[in-house]
Amino acid sequence: MTGLDARDIEEAAARLEPVATRTPALTALSLDQAAGWPVVCKAENLQRTGSFKFRGAYHHAASLTARERANGLIGASSGNHAQALALAGRLLEVPATVVIPDDAPVPKLEGVRALGGKVVTYRRGIDDRDGLVAERADREGLAVVPSANSRRIMAGAGTAALELLADHPEIETLVVPVGGGGLAAGSAVIAKHVSPGIRVYGVEPEGGADTLLSLRCGQRIALPEPPVTIADGLGHSCPAPLTWAVNSRLLDGVVTVTDRDITAAMAFAFRHLKLVVEPSGACALAAILSGLVPHESGTIGVVISGGGVDLPTFHRLITATPQRKEPARA
Amino acid sequence: MTGLDARDIEEAAARLEPVATRTPALTALSLDQAAGWPVVCKAENLQRTGSFKFRGAYHHAASLTARERANGLIGASSGNHAQALALAGRLLEVPATVVIPDDAPVPKLEGVRALGGKVVTYRRGIDDRDGLVAERADREGLAVVPSANSRRIMAGAGTAALELLADHPEIETLVVPVGGGGLAAGSAVIAKHVSPGIRVYGVEPEGGADTLLSLRCGQRIALPEPPVTIADGLGHSCPAPLTWAVNSRLLDGVVTVTDRDITAAMAFAFRHLKLVVEPSGACALAAILSGLVPHESGTIGVVISGGGVDLPTFHRLITATPQRKEPARA
């Protein structure tokens, strides 16, 4: 019993169909050449609010009864979940409150507000974020929408893989980033259901490999040091219980990528796929381009999970990394 | 008699279906807010080789008899048509020769070669490019694939609008860039066929508005000065005869955008759509964001035509332009 099965993801897909973008599955000869295998990229950076997070946030919020969400939604995030939650609230016509660290980049705060979301800041490293969310939810009667550790968040996230495998049933290996683990869990459940022989690999940044450490230890383990990685969306310290229950059972393995692997993949996506991909969103692609994922035959599917990066940061990250020479996109 | 009718585009669509990417039609709340209308973007920068040019080049080349193309294809381009032609040759298993100015950026030459294309350079401003193509085609028995002035190139280009209007029949105004005019011509023919009341506007860069000048004069007119614009793909001096025959009859108007409008649209696409768009590719979006296109009700369709720009150039163009404040993508 994993707490998540294929029907959960199919139910989420039906709910998301009228509101989410069916993101494209992109291919390029240059990518196949660089990877050494046929590769298909699910471009979730083109999802509404710029990442796959909208799928889970909307599905979770829409699954609540009108009464449960009547006073509004609340969640904590310094990244893509924040805007996803704001849009979910807007579409469901209830207020959304997002708890964001006070050192978050101004565009992220503005992004949430532009969608009608309410921003509450906390002092990172000082305030108890989850306590603040719980206390405010209790006081104002708000429904908490977690960023990963929820059956419905996992189910919503898994719909991207469902679409990808419907478009490309020939995929034999699926590669997804692992942060909170919701995307990996939802993807693994649906992929093993629709393509029983498929292998599913998670990718973590070298400086935030809590799921890999936990797999090696056979139990949920917190990293001894705080995560250090440019992939800020994947910098988790410890797998969440619900996602761990799925991922520890279904993932065929987890590989890690360096910051340099990540920026090379971001540059590759810019040049050959014409996509803006944030560091966390580029990790699965990075693992493929760096030849880190075990694969012996057939097509590889990759989830490009988000594009939440501004141009100055993007340019700084790419130019700080010597780029490999690559052939042209086709 | 325009030399191009809807059946041409439908025939092209059938031929392209197995080889071209059905590019996504993307929407964003932030775009609707910025434009003041619902907007749908056909993201042809995600087409194979990074622009809509693959549609026309492949369709033209594949329409030739095996005997006509047996010795190979040849065409002239310093831009997206070059890689499109190289890929068309590769897929049709015939050699492709591309005649490129010797000052073209190295990545473009490499891009053509990586696809198996043969590069022949000429001295820009000294050699007669079209003469060189014709002479070589004659000598080696190659089939010339023009970049715009061909019924089949126009038909292939029009398939993007056909897909867009199939996905979004509610579009009441369609906005496309005008360079050689093939995309505008193909788009106008199919749009007026499937949506008789639709308005179709072309967009030219202020520094290369040969079609607008010609429309004002009621005949094909060459610009008195060479085009000066960052939209290098649209810097034509005079409308081509075949595309002019269609565009002069079917376009509801042509508007012009400044370099600043263009870079603002590129920045918008990076931030809100997560797309890498080259200057020429951003012109139609720029016209919408700058409020230049007449529109009174309903949805606007925009073709984002290409993404052929490297990161240093992209960064330089964007940072040279003060960015407007925009709300977040949704």
Side-chain angles (χ1 to χ4, degrees):
Chain A
M1 171 62 186
T2 65
L4 184 71
D5 65 33
R7 278 167 306 178
D8 292 309
I9 290 124
E10 286 158 358
E11 178 195 314
R15 176 168 278 129
L16 288 166
E17 199 275 325
V19 293
T21 297
R22 187 179 175 107
T23 55
L26 300 174
T27 59
L29 272 188
S30 52
L31 177 54
D32 299 349
Q33 290 167 349
W37 299 101
V39 178
V40 183
C41 297
K42 182 67 169 170
E44 280 293 298
N45 58 328
L46 304 180
Q47 187 51 262
R48 295 182 81 172
T49 65
S51 87
F52 77 96
K53 287 285 189 180
F54 173 67
R55 295 177 184 264
Y58 182 86
H59 177 53
H60 184 104
S63 301
L64 301 170
T65 64
R67 187 166 171 182
E68 285 171 324
R69 65 173 181 255
N71 293 332
L73 312 171
I74 188 168
S77 168
S78 59
N80 292 319
H81 182 57
Q83 288 187 48
L85 187 57
L87 181 59
R90 184 186 178 114
L91 296 174
L92 295 166
E93 300 180 339
V94 295
T97 301
V98 188
V99 177
I100 295 182
D102 56 7
D103 60 355
V106 172
K108 297 211 168 171
L109 305 187
E110 286 176 351
V112 171
R113 291 194 184 111
L115 291 165
K118 180 175 177 181
V119 172
V120 173
T121 58
Y122 71 97
R123 294 165 298 174
R124 195 199 294 264
I126 298 175
D127 294 334
D128 168 17
R129 185 186 78 167
D130 293 342
L132 203 153
V133 169
E135 185 262 333
R136 197 171 188 107
D138 192 50
R139 193 174 68 224
E140 301 183 7
L142 306 177
V144 178
V145 181
S147 70
N149 197 45
S150 137
R151 181 171 176 161
R152 291 206 158 109
I153 294 287
M154 295 188 283
T159 59
L162 178 61
E163 292 174 6
L164 177 60
L165 293 169
D167 291 346
H168 290 275
E170 75 277 16
I171 289 172
E172 297 188 19
T173 300
L174 179 64
V175 188
V176 294
V178 181
L183 179 64
S187 300
V189 166
I190 196 65
K192 303 260 168 174
H193 176 75
V194 299
S195 300
I198 202 169
R199 292 171 301 275
V200 182
Y201 288 89
V203 182
E204 292 189 304
E206 207 173 62
D210 55 306
T211 296
L212 179 60
L213 177 66
S214 298
L215 285 172
R216 284 180 174 157
C217 296
Q219 59 180 306
R220 287 174 61 220
I221 292 277
L223 295 175
E225 303 286 339
V228 179
T229 169
I230 59 169
D232 51 338
L234 308 185
H236 288 248
S237 292
C238 184
L242 293 179
T243 60
W244 169 252
V246 178
N247 290 331
S248 58
R249 194 171 67 83
L250 291 185
L251 290 184
D252 291 275
V254 169
V255 301
T256 61
V257 290
T258 65
D259 284 355
R260 187 178 161 149
D261 293 329
I262 294 169
T263 56
M266 291 166 69
F268 188 98
F270 185 101
R271 182 165 172 202
H272 297 292
L273 304 175
K274 312 305 179 192
L275 295 179
V276 177
V277 186
E278 68 182 279
S280 303
C283 282
L285 180 63
I288 292 303
L289 290 172
S290 300
L292 296 168
V293 178
H295 182 70
E296 288 177 6
S297 69
T299 298
I300 303 176
V302 172
V303 178
I304 290 179
S305 56
V309 58
D310 58 46
L311 182 58
T313 305
F314 189 91
H315 187 254
R316 179 174 53 76
L317 289 172
I318 301 295
T319 51
T321 310
Q323 289 184 44
R324 289 175 276 189
K325 286 195 72 153
E326 307 285 4
R329 167 159 202 245
Chain B
M1 171 60 185
T2 65
L4 184 71
D5 65 32
R7 278 166 305 176
D8 291 310
I9 290 122
E10 286 158 359
E11 179 195 313
R15 176 168 279 127
L16 288 166
E17 199 275 326
V19 292
T21 297
R22 187 179 175 107
T23 54
L26 300 174
T27 59
L29 271 188
S30 52
L31 176 54
D32 299 350
Q33 289 168 349
W37 298 102
V39 178
V40 184
C41 297
K42 182 68 169 169
E44 279 293 296
N45 58 327
L46 304 181
Q47 186 50 263
R48 295 182 81 172
T49 66
S51 86
F52 77 96
K53 287 285 187 180
F54 173 68
R55 295 177 183 264
Y58 181 86
H59 176 53
H60 183 104
S63 301
L64 302 170
T65 65
R67 187 165 170 183
E68 285 171 323
R69 65 173 181 254
N71 293 333
L73 313 170
I74 188 169
S77 167
S78 60
N80 292 319
H81 182 56
Q83 289 188 48
L85 187 58
L87 180 59
R90 184 185 177 113
L91 295 175
L92 295 166
E93 300 180 341
V94 295
T97 302
V98 188
V99 178
I100 295 182
D102 56 8
D103 61 354
V106 172
K108 296 212 167 168
L109 306 185
E110 285 176 350
V112 171
R113 291 195 183 109
L115 292 165
K118 181 175 175 181
V119 171
V120 174
T121 58
Y122 72 97
R123 292 166 299 174
R124 195 200 294 262
I126 297 174
D127 295 334
D128 169 16
R129 185 187 77 168
D130 293 343
L132 202 153
V133 169
E135 184 262 333
R136 198 173 186 106
D138 192 49
R139 193 173 70 226
E140 300 183 10
L142 307 177
V144 177
V145 182
S147 69
N149 197 43
S150 138
R151 180 171 175 161
R152 291 207 158 108
I153 294 287
M154 293 188 285
T159 59
L162 179 61
E163 292 174 6
L164 177 59
L165 293 169
D167 291 346
H168 290 275
E170 76 277 16
I171 289 172
E172 296 188 19
T173 300
L174 178 64
V175 188
V176 295
V178 181
L183 178 64
S187 300
V189 167
I190 196 65
K192 303 261 169 174
H193 177 75
V194 301
S195 299
I198 201 169
R199 293 171 301 275
V200 182
Y201 288 89
V203 181
E204 292 189 305
E206 207 173 60
D210 55 305
T211 296
L212 179 60
L213 178 66
S214 298
L215 285 172
R216 284 180 175 158
C217 296
Q219 59 180 307
R220 287 172 62 221
I221 293 277
L223 295 174
E225 303 287 339
V228 179
T229 169
I230 58 169
D232 51 337
L234 308 184
H236 288 249
S237 292
C238 184
L242 293 180
T243 59
W244 169 254
V246 178
N247 290 331
S248 59
R249 195 172 65 84
L250 292 185
L251 290 184
D252 291 275
V254 169
V255 301
T256 61
V257 289
T258 64
D259 284 356
R260 188 180 161 148
D261 293 331
I262 296 169
T263 55
M266 292 166 67
F268 189 97
F270 185 101
R271 183 166 173 200
H272 296 292
L273 304 175
K274 312 305 179 191
L275 295 179
V276 178
V277 186
E278 68 183 278
S280 304
C283 282
L285 180 63
I288 293 302
L289 289 173
S290 299
L292 297 167
V293 178
H295 182 72
E296 289 178 6
S297 70
T299 298
I300 303 175
V302 172
V303 178
I304 291 179
S305 56
V309 57
D310 58 45
L311 182 59
T313 305
F314 189 92
H315 187 253
R316 179 174 52 76
L317 290 172
I318 302 295
T319 51
T321 309
Q323 289 184 45
R324 288 174 277 188
K325 285 196 73 154
E326 307 285 4
R329 166 158 204 247

